[in-house]
Amino acid sequence: MAKANANTKAKRKAEAVGRKLIAQNKKARHDYLVLDTYECGIVLTGTEVKSLRQGRASLVDGFVQIDGGEAWLHNVHIPEYAQGTWTNHAARRKRKLLLHRDEIDRLGSKIQETGHTIVPLSLYFTSGRAKVEIALAKGKKEYDKRQTLREQQDRREADRAISAARRRQRGTV
C-alpha cells in the first residue's frame, strides 16, 4: 500500500512539473516581430488563481509597461471567479510581473526605441506557479503581415505535396 502511494505521488509530481497552458496570444505573433522572450512570475490574488485554474483568461489586448523600476501587465482579462464573494478581483486590473532588476532595466531601455513594445505571449502554470511569457517585440507593417501569411501558406502547400508524394510512394511499393 505504501508503494502505491509513493507511485501516485511521483506521478502527481511529474504532472505538476509540466507546463499547463491557460491562454495564448496568437495575434501577437501575427502583429509583431518577436525579438526576445522572457518568462516571468505574476502577482495574483486568490480568486485570480482559482479562475486561471479553470482555464479562463484572455491576453489579446495585453501589454507590459515599465513604471518606477517595476514591470506591470495591463489589460489582461482574468474573469471573476464564479464562486467568489466580496473578495473577488477586478477583471482587468494591472498586475505586477516578477523579473530580475537587470531584465527590467534591459527591457526599459529597449522600449525607449521607436516601434518596440512588450507583449504577453502565453499564460501558464509550471510547477504549480502562474507564469507569463512576455516578448520584446517590434510592430509589423501591413506588407510584412501579408508576407508572413504568404510564407506560411507556401510552407503548408509544400508539406502537403511532400506528404502526398510519400503516400503515393508507399502505395506503389
Side-chain angles (χ1 to χ4, degrees):
M1 183 71 173
K3 191 171 186 176
N5 278 342
N7 287 340
T8 56
K9 285 182 183 178
K11 285 181 185 176
R12 260 190 246 128
K13 192 171 185 178
E15 291 171 358
V17 172
R19 187 170 154 169
K20 182 187 174 216
L21 187 66
I22 300 164
Q24 197 171 16
N25 190 357
K26 293 180 182 176
K27 190 176 179 188
R29 293 203 186 266
H30 175 73
D31 291 340
Y32 298 99
L33 175 67
V34 175
L35 303 174
D36 200 8
T37 60
Y38 297 88
E39 179 184 69
C40 57
I42 182 169
V43 177
L44 299 170
T45 63
T47 55
E48 287 174 324
V49 174
K50 289 180 178 184
S51 187
L52 287 177
R53 290 211 186 275
Q54 291 178 341
R56 302 170 63 207
S58 174
L59 300 173
V60 174
D61 297 328
F63 65 95
V64 176
Q65 193 172 32
I66 308 292
D67 185 30
E70 295 177 338
W72 295 91
L73 183 63
H74 293 268
N75 282 353
V76 170
H77 186 264
I78 300 175
E80 290 186 352
Y81 183 57
Q83 286 80 31
T85 58
W86 57 273
T87 59
N88 242 336
H89 62 278
R92 286 199 184 266
R93 71 179 188 89
K94 70 178 190 176
R95 295 165 179 93
K96 187 176 179 180
L97 295 178
L98 305 173
L99 287 163
H100 290 284
R101 169 67 46 210
D102 61 327
E103 291 174 332
I104 292 173
D105 294 339
R106 195 175 322 125
L107 286 170
S109 66
K110 287 287 188 179
I111 61 171
Q112 297 301 323
E113 299 174 20
T114 54
H116 287 82
T117 187
I118 307 169
V119 292
L121 295 178
S122 61
L123 181 61
Y124 54 91
F125 281 106
T126 180
S127 300
R129 302 201 190 293
K131 302 283 184 178
V132 178
E133 183 180 24
I134 60 173
L136 176 65
K138 188 171 184 171
K140 284 185 183 178
K141 303 284 188 219
E142 194 64 37
Y143 58 85
D144 289 334
K145 294 178 189 177
R146 285 194 299 265
Q147 180 66 27
T148 304
L149 287 173
R150 199 171 301 120
E151 288 170 0
Q152 287 174 351
Q153 185 178 4
D154 291 344
R155 197 174 317 117
R156 218 175 295 127
E157 287 175 4
D159 290 342
R160 283 185 191 138
I162 290 169
S163 64
R166 285 183 182 156
R167 275 195 304 267
R168 282 193 302 268
Q169 188 178 25
R170 272 188 252 134
T172 59
V173 174

